[in-house]
Amino acid sequence: MSALKIICGLAGMALVAMSPAPASAHSLDDILSAKKLVVGINPNLPPLGRFNDKNEIEGFDVDVATKLSQMLGVDVSLVQVNSADRVPFLVTGKADIVLGALTRTPDRAKVIDFSLPIQTEAISAMTLKDKPFKTLADLDSADVHLIEVRGTTPVEYVKTHMPKAQVTLFDNYPDAVRALFQGRGDAIVDVVDYIGPYTKTYKTETRIILDSKPDVDYDCIGVAHGNDALKSWLNTAVFQLQTNGFMATTYKKWFGIDMVYPIPVTPYF
């Protein structure tokens, strides 16, 4: 989990603690009666959510929310949230469900419930296909030149786990990915899923180097604490979307690559 996500999560928990008594969450029956599913989406977290040239929110989370509403037979209503808003919007009844890279954690589970995971986040590395590296440990060498984005958590990861490597910092991901394809570095260490969309314009094939013991964050759909019927329905729906290929196809559509650390699909939940 990134430092930014931890800070935002703590801020969200603080907002909940200071808020007045929460409004009642909409139950599954309420949603079916109103024929509307209200979904919290972060439009500033591409490719999960972003504004397109029509000023409409689109992305992986939007496609998932739209599909869920279709399965329920109701309309979908998107409300904008930021990272700190996600938990408070559920607790106060401003959203029926919330997406936006909502990592399942014990602290959050004290105040909200989670669906089955819909995506994962963990450190890996992206390199060009013809590079010789097989493991992340291979990158810890003075002969290796890593490309990283200034101010991100993976920079600290590299300092700790790959101290021998040379590192060049860039201000943003498009510039960093361009440098990789130009041969100005050997690999990028990051939550590589989010780099995928920037590789679409390049023809050279890439390869992902996995961590042998990854610290995986499981990102889920959030639902109000105790809203059991809605949570049970979400789990059933997510399982179906995982097994019928919708999740994998939609993920690759937006991220440009397959999920680096796939979610084990289980019928038990």
Side-chain angles (χ1 to χ4, degrees):
M1 180 187 299
S2 69
L4 177 60
K5 287 179 68 176
I6 293 172
I7 292 171
C8 290
L10 292 174
M13 298 293 284
L15 285 172
V16 171
M18 295 186 293
S19 65
S24 177
H26 293 146
S27 68
L28 179 59
D29 285 342
D30 292 336
I31 293 166
L32 293 172
S33 296
K35 297 188 180 300
K36 182 173 68 173
L37 178 68
V38 182
V39 185
I41 299 285
N42 188 341
N44 301 303
L45 196 61
L48 297 176
R50 69 187 184 196
F51 286 108
N52 60 22
D53 55 9
K54 298 179 181 179
N55 205 35
E56 299 168 336
I57 305 175
E58 63 179 13
F60 173 77
D61 283 353
V62 176
D63 282 6
V64 171
T66 301
K67 185 65 174 179
L68 291 172
S69 68
Q70 292 171 352
M71 294 171 73
L72 275 172
V74 302
D75 294 329
V76 65
S77 175
L78 305 181
V79 294
Q80 297 180 37
V81 298
N82 58 41
S83 293
D85 287 336
R86 294 169 301 177
V87 171
F89 265 53
L90 289 174
V91 173
T92 58
K94 293 181 179 179
D96 300 321
I97 62 174
V98 167
L99 290 83
L102 184 62
T103 302
R104 181 181 63 192
T105 68
D107 280 341
R108 286 178 179 152
K110 295 175 183 177
V111 290
I112 65 170
D113 289 340
F114 297 93
S115 73
L116 294 173
I118 61 172
Q119 70 175 108
T120 60
E121 298 183 50
I123 291 291
S124 58
M126 177 179 287
T127 188
L128 300 184
K129 188 176 181 180
D130 61 355
K131 295 291 183 179
F133 316 112
K134 301 298 182 184
T135 69
L136 290 183
D138 294 338
L139 300 177
D140 185 25
S141 169
D143 297 328
V144 172
H145 201 140
L146 297 179
I147 296 168
E148 301 298 323
V149 175
R150 184 177 284 106
T152 61
T153 302
V155 173
E156 298 303 316
Y157 179 92
V158 167
K159 288 180 181 178
T160 301
H161 297 277
M162 301 158 192
K164 297 177 185 177
Q166 301 178 60
V167 179
T168 299
L169 298 177
F170 290 83
D171 290 330
N172 55 65
Y173 283 103
D175 287 347
V177 171
R178 184 181 304 111
L180 176 67
F181 281 93
Q182 290 174 341
R184 295 158 60 190
D186 296 306
I188 300 176
V189 176
D190 208 293
V191 179
V192 169
D193 300 72
Y194 288 94
I195 298 175
Y198 303 111
T199 68
K200 291 182 177 181
T201 58
Y202 301 97
K203 295 182 179 179
T204 306
E205 290 188 58
T206 59
R207 185 164 49 83
I208 307 299
I209 304 172
L210 301 179
D211 190 342
S212 60
K213 297 180 180 180
D215 183 11
V216 180
D217 284 341
Y218 289 94
D219 296 343
C220 308
I221 300 171
V223 62
H225 203 37
N227 201 347
D228 294 335
L230 180 57
K231 182 179 72 172
S232 294
W233 183 87
L234 284 173
N235 283 339
T236 304
V238 169
F239 173 75
Q240 180 173 313
L241 296 179
Q242 288 172 334
T243 54
N244 69 14
F246 174 87
M247 286 295 190
T249 300
T250 306
Y251 194 89
K252 192 163 187 177
K253 167 188 171 183
W254 289 103
F255 284 83
I257 58 176
D258 294 323
M259 197 177 299
V260 173
Y261 294 96
I263 300 167
V265 180
T266 172
Y268 299 98
F269 44 82

